[in-house]
Amino acid sequence: MRVYVPLTLSGLTEAHKTGELGSGPLVAYAVTPALREWYDSEDVEELEYAALGQAALASLRLLDADRAAPRRRVVVAVDVADRIVEADPDPGPGNDAADPGEVRVTGRVALAKAAAVHVDADGADAAVEAAAEALAAADGGDGGARSVVDGAEDHELLWFAPQEIPHLVGS
């Protein structure tokens, strides 16, 4: 199953050092029945793009939590065994339903299994920073803040081959 793992550049640097995205459980996004229902499409490429978009939003949340990380969304597309993916996870006490397409990856995920890495271009930094700062207000229902968060989506994530990771992380 192809899953989209949200990270930051700091997280990608750590994954490059250790050789793995983590040992689980990891939050990721994939084409699940809930995503199919939410996005209402049968086109697999469109559904995968929607899962990538959900992971990019989750990357914004990671950036909001890590103010020292460079202001770029990062999503690693990785192929994992179906048996280590739990679709439609329980969000836990006090949380609403999981985001469409959210899954838990319960096993180790080697960075070598990455199919691609998606990262914002240099010019997106200001929009991504503003979106990360506006997340809390957007989650609270502020329409203006939601517009700022949506503005980050105007910046397409660039596609990089796994072999380009050392260049992305500066090693």
Side-chain angles (χ1 to χ4, degrees):
M1 172 180 274
R2 168 89 25 110
V3 298
Y4 299 88
V5 180
L7 291 175
T8 63
L9 277 176
S10 302
L12 184 61
T13 299
E14 183 64 24
H16 179 64
K17 287 178 188 173
T18 65
E20 66 181 27
L21 293 170
S23 58
L26 298 173
V27 172
Y29 295 82
V31 177
T32 64
L35 183 81
R36 287 178 185 276
E37 184 178 325
W38 173 75
Y39 197 74
D40 193 27
S41 174
E42 292 301 319
D43 185 306
V44 173
E45 287 184 17
E46 285 183 16
L47 291 165
E48 288 177 343
Y49 188 75
L52 172 65
Q54 292 297 96
L57 180 60
S59 178
L60 268 181
R61 294 188 186 291
L62 295 173
L63 288 170
D64 184 44
D66 182 0
R67 295 292 181 182
R71 305 284 91 183
R72 292 196 194 160
R73 298 169 296 167
V74 176
V75 176
V76 178
V78 62
D79 296 317
V80 298
D82 291 352
R83 71 180 182 282
I84 66 167
V85 178
E86 294 177 359
D88 304 322
D90 178 2
N95 293 329
D96 293 330
D99 291 330
E102 184 177 321
V103 297
R104 296 265 187 279
V105 180
T106 60
R108 291 192 180 281
V109 180
L111 187 58
K113 296 285 186 185
V117 179
H118 303 272
V119 182
D120 277 308
D122 291 338
D125 291 8
V128 170
E129 172 67 19
E133 289 178 2
L135 267 174
D139 288 345
D142 182 320
R146 172 52 48 197
S147 180
V148 172
V149 171
D150 291 346
E153 293 177 12
D154 292 341
H155 297 272
E156 291 287 328
L157 296 176
L158 302 178
W159 182 95
F160 294 92
Q163 303 88 312
E164 296 178 274
I165 292 172
H167 170 73
L168 290 169
V169 300
S171 61

